[in-house]
Amino acid sequence: MSTLTRFSVAPLSDMTRKLADVASGRADPELVIAGARVLSTYSERILDDREIWLSGGRIAAVKPAGSYQGRLAASYDVNGGIIAPGLVDPHLHIESSMVTACAYAEAALLNGTTTIFCDSHEIGNVMDVAGVEAMLEDARQAPLSIYLTVPSTVPATSAAMETAGGDLTPDKIAAIFDKWPEALALGEKMDFVPVAMSDERSHAIIAEALKRGRPVSGHVYGRDFVAAYAAAGVTDTHEAIDREIANDLLEAGVWIFLRGGPPTTPWHSLPEAIKAITELGASHKRVAVCTDDRDADDLLMFGLDWVTRQAVKAGMKPEQAWAMGSLHGATRFGLGDEIGGLGGGRRADLVLLDDTLQPINTWYGGELMVEDRKVTATLDEALSERWRYPDAAYHTVKLPKEVKLIPELPVERVKAHCIRTELPGITAVHEVIELEPANDWQSHFDRHDLCFVSVVERHGKSDGNVAHGLLSNFSLKRGAVASSVGHDSHNIIVAGTNEADMQVALRAIEEKQGGVCVVADGKVRAMVELPIAGLLSDKRVHEVADAVRVLKLAWEEAGCSIPYMGFNLIPLSVIPEIRITDKGLVLVPEMEIAELFEPA
């Protein structure tokens, strides 16, 4: 196992005398990065003709070009390129990338990201505290600085609405804070309605963070909830979807993380929310940028560097945008004196940029990890062995021998409560369709553009709960699709035109202990295998990205009208208007279970 981790650089408290000697010229630096233009996130200027002196994985000083006259230091000439601090992603979910924390580091460093704050609520929903701690152990072995925002809403609703594998109570959350120093904040409080309504458990969880001086991250829709949310101690959110709510949040003292999602996904809210700055005149001082969710394929193409460039495209100056991508996120979580800038004493997490803010090189703790946009031998060695998750993580899909995946065909005229999917795929519309008596399901499907959807409980905590539903407008042409990444309880969601293919998809996921797949004519046409907690691959990021690309092509060929990441949200029972969990159809925000059929 590589020793190149966050802990490879000694604490500043152990290095101040050495760094002062180097900065004063009494000792030689270990490396001089010469010929640089420096992007200062402190003054938001680009400073010409500079060189950077490094020692012990930290910055000793930024000096005028040619200041070092000694002979002992190694030199790396960037020939007029821009040197900037490594990017800091203040909100993401590693599990969305379908790779482990160690594997995630490769894509992050290629994109110029050197620090991330992850909310591991997906693996917490599957494996409780053991899952969160397994990911923390994984993160400690990664060549990347990974901090935790402790999952705050596991399960997303309650046992009455869904069956989850985990239940993170206030006491369990308190214990994580006390045991793990890298647990720096409370993760996104997704149950914003109960928070606003003063729900006892929700506020007890918030209290455990506040008592320890830890900030509380949020997730909120609707301007009506902003005042109560802020009053409850929530001080950041990545869910500002337009300029008005972004403006409200900033005025309420809530940090905004502008979420840049790939244009093909539902998560690209930056262009509208940033208008609070560009059109309404708000300051960007409490605004950062984040990625939130990325699969392995999109992670490589649309990293935090891409989000930062999107901020420039939306009207921010490059220096402002890079500060929003580095210093601001660090400052929000109390690490602004350690990362996010090029001042003396800071970690030597550096990125060489071209004039379009494209990363070329990345140094992590003074070690060159990416050069000319390629992984160096140093990083390749660090990634050659990765921490293995506990055996229990490879056995989380527990299904009964027999599962019925489709409802009985109604023999009389009925009203069906259907889930209508629409782009971009976040919300789902509650559609009521009248079904006349028919001899088979196909006639209903042809007339109303329907297909089956079922959610199967996979944690072994029920008697094999399965709920049946109907998807409208999903446009599946044949076969079935299925996923063990059914947010947030991560039961298995299966959609199909026939039960036989749905069964093949379900059993393929059971065999591999997790995955996302496309099935047609009784055969698996594409699958991303996710054997760790039914969420993560044990392969390197490029291998997983290749499998994801194949899956996306098969997904499109099957005719699915929303991308697979939107499909994974269909069981997410905190987003309007209608969802399906292992307990049945859930109406949101009423939080009521509805029957699939009722008399017409």
Side-chain angles (χ1 to χ4, degrees), residues 8 22 29 37 58 85-86 95 105 114 138 141 148 228 258 262 324 332-333 347 379 398 471 573:
S8 300
V22 173
R37 288 177 287 158
R58 292 187 178 273
E95 299 98 319
T114 51
D138 176 16
Q141 304 299 324
L148 177 72
L258 297 169
M324 290 160 61
R332 190 280 179 272
F333 291 113
R347 276 186 61 102
L379 178 55
K398 305 164 186 175
L471 288 183
S573 56

Side-chain angles (χ1 to χ4, degrees), residues 94-369:
I94 289 176
E95 299 98 319
S96 294
S97 68
M98 303 192 230
V99 297
T100 64
C102 287
Y104 188 98
E106 180 174 2
L109 292 167
L110 283 165
N111 294 331
T113 301
T114 51
T115 300
I116 64 174
F117 292 85
C118 72
D119 181 340
S120 53
H121 72 222
E122 282 89 351
I123 201 167
N125 266 287
V126 176
M127 297 179 62
D128 204 81
V129 172
V132 177
E133 294 194 330
M135 182 161 278
L136 282 165
E137 293 286 4
D138 176 16
R140 285 187 169 187
Q141 304 299 324
L144 191 73
S145 294
I146 301 177
Y147 296 95
L148 177 72
T149 60
V150 180
S152 67
T153 319
V154 176
T157 52
S158 69
M161 296 291 113
E162 57 191 325
T163 305
D167 179 18
L168 294 186
T169 63
D171 287 346
K172 291 177 182 178
I173 288 170
I176 293 173
F177 275 125
D178 293 341
K179 180 177 178 181
W180 297 87
E182 55 266 64
L184 294 187
L186 188 67
E188 59 176 304
K189 205 74 188 78
M190 295 179 62
D191 55 340
F192 61 91
V193 176
V195 169
M197 298 301 293
S198 301
D199 173 74
E200 183 177 356
R201 172 176 162 133
S202 299
H203 282 260
I205 287 171
I206 290 171
E208 294 301 336
L210 296 179
K211 284 189 289 189
R212 290 164 174 79
R214 300 287 193 265
V216 177
S217 296
H219 168 123
V220 61
Y221 292 97
R223 298 174 71 184
D224 291 346
F225 294 100
V226 170
Y229 211 46
V234 178
T235 43
D236 76 51
T237 183
H238 56 285
E239 293 289 356
I241 60 173
D242 56 41
R243 68 175 196 170
E244 282 74 25
I245 193 169
N247 193 65
D248 290 352
L249 288 160
L250 289 172
E251 291 297 348
V254 177
W255 280 79
I256 296 295
F257 300 156
L258 297 169
R259 179 176 57 202
T264 56
T265 72
W267 290 276
H268 195 44
S269 52
L270 180 150
E272 290 302 316
I274 203 170
K275 291 178 181 177
I277 301 169
T278 58
E279 293 182 1
L280 300 182
S283 169
H284 69 292
K285 68 183 179 181
R286 288 172 64 86
V287 179
V289 293
C290 76
T291 57
D292 196 6
D293 294 290
R294 293 287 191 277
D295 65 30
D297 180 30
D298 286 341
L299 179 62
L300 291 166
M301 296 189 297
F302 302 103
L304 191 59
D305 61 314
W306 177 84
V307 183
T308 302
R309 292 191 296 275
Q310 289 291 300
V312 176
K313 184 178 178 181
M316 306 301 293
K317 294 194 304 181
E319 301 88 343
Q320 293 175 325
W322 202 267
M324 290 160 61
S326 54
L327 180 63
H328 291 199
T331 301
R332 190 280 179 272
F333 291 113
L335 292 179
D337 293 334
E338 174 76 356
I339 54 176
L342 302 182
R346 276 64 172 180
R347 276 186 61 102
D349 297 343
L350 314 172
V351 184
L352 172 63
L353 305 170
D354 66 17
D355 285 346
T356 66
L357 302 187
Q358 293 273 358
I360 301 169
N361 291 4
T362 304
W363 287 265
Y364 177 65
E367 297 285 345
L368 186 59
M369 310 295 269

Side-chain angles (χ1 to χ4, degrees), residues 17-99:
R17 294 182 67 198
K18 178 180 180 181
L19 291 171
D21 282 340
V22 173
S24 301
R26 294 186 297 274
D28 288 293
E30 295 166 13
L31 174 66
V32 175
I33 298 177
R37 288 177 287 158
V38 164
L39 192 159
S40 171
T41 55
Y42 304 127
S43 62
E44 295 183 351
R45 296 178 295 178
I46 292 180
L47 310 174
D48 294 331
D49 300 321
R50 296 295 195 272
E51 62 188 34
I52 305 166
W53 298 1
L54 308 185
S55 183
R58 292 187 178 273
I59 298 169
V62 176
K63 298 276 190 175
S67 295
Y68 180 68
Q69 296 296 316
R71 299 177 179 272
L72 297 179
S75 179
Y76 192 105
D77 195 334
V78 298
N79 297 309
I82 298 170
I83 292 290
L87 291 169
V88 177
D89 198 330
H91 177 76
L92 60 85
H93 307 280
I94 289 176
E95 299 98 319
S96 294
S97 68
M98 303 192 230
V99 297

